[in-house]
Amino acid sequence: MKPSSPSMGRRAFSLAAASAVLTACGTTATQTHTTPSTSAPNTAATPPVGKPARPLRVGLALGGGAARGFAHIGVIKALEARNVQIDLVCGTSAGSVVAALYASGMSGIAINKLALTMDQASISDWAMPFRTRGLLQGIALQNYLNTTLNNRPIEKMAKPLGVVATDLRTGEPILFQRGNTGIAVRASCSVPSIFEPVKIGGHEYVDGGLVSPVPAAFAHKMGADFVIAVDISARPESGLTQSSFDVLMQTFTIMGQTIKAYELDKYADFVIRPNLAAMSSSDFGQRNAAILAGEEAVARIMPELERKLAQSRATVA
C-alpha cells in the first residue's frame, strides 16, 4: 500500500474541516430556529426565579421535673388545639418520657388518657437490698415505655426524637437519636441515688437534667429553626421540700439554674412556664392538676407565641 500524498492529506483535512463547520451550523440552527434573524435582540431582563421559602421547623424542648412532667401533656394538648405544628421533639428526664410518646405519633389527648390510667407501681421496681447505687432499677419504666410504643426504636418515630442523658464518668451530655427508646429514656430519667445508672455501649448514664435541664440547645442541634422550651422546674425560692426526694430535686434545681438560664437565653425562641408552684416533684397524685396547668400556660401566652412564630416564618430562608 502506497503512502498518502501531501495533496491527498490536504484534501482529507479540508473535508474534515467542512464537516465540522456544517455540524456546528446544524447545532446552532437547532438552538435558535425559533428566533427570526431579523428580530431585534431581546434586552428585557428576565426576572430571577425566586426560591420558595421552606417551612419553619419548630422544635419542642421538654424539661425535667419528675411528677411535674405531667404538665408537658397539657402543653402539647393546647398547642395541638391551636394548630401549632411541632416538627421535632427533644426531652430531658421526665420530659423525655412525654417526648417519646408524642414523637411516636400519639396525640396530646391520647397521652393524657394514658397518663391518667397509668399505675405508678407498674413503672417502679425496687432494687435488691444489697444494691447501693439506687433505690429503683428503672427496668420497669424501660419495659413499660417499650411495650406502649411496640418496641419502636428512636429513629423510627413519626417525628424526630432526641433524648438527653449525662455520661456518669465524663459529665458530658449525650443526645440519643437512635436505638432502644426505653433504655434511652430510662437513662435520661435516672436521678442519681434514686435510679441505678444505665449501661449503654460501655458507658454509664444518669439523669440528663444534670447537664441540660431544658434541652433547648439539643432541639436546635436537631435542626429546629424555632425552639419552644417548656420549663417545669421549680424556682429555688419556691421549691417544696416535703420529702427526701424533694430535697434531692431542689438540689438539682439549684445546681442547674445557671446552665438552664444560659441554654434558654441562647437557644430557646419561646419559653412556656406552667404554674406549678403548689406541686412538689414527688406528688404524682396531682397529675391532672399538672396537665391543666400546662394547658392554662399555653392559653396565657398564645398571642405572643403566634406573633413570634409569624416573625420567624417571614425571615426563614
Side-chain angles (χ1 to χ4, degrees), residues 35-59:
T35 304
S37 59
T38 57
S39 63
N42 184 7
T43 58
T46 303
V49 178
K51 182 180 179 181
R54 64 176 177 82
L56 184 75
R57 284 175 58 82
V58 179

Side-chain angles (χ1 to χ4, degrees), residues 117-129:
T117 57
M118 181 184 66
D119 180 11
Q120 188 176 343
S122 66
I123 59 172
S124 302
D125 50 352
W126 296 97
M128 297 299 290

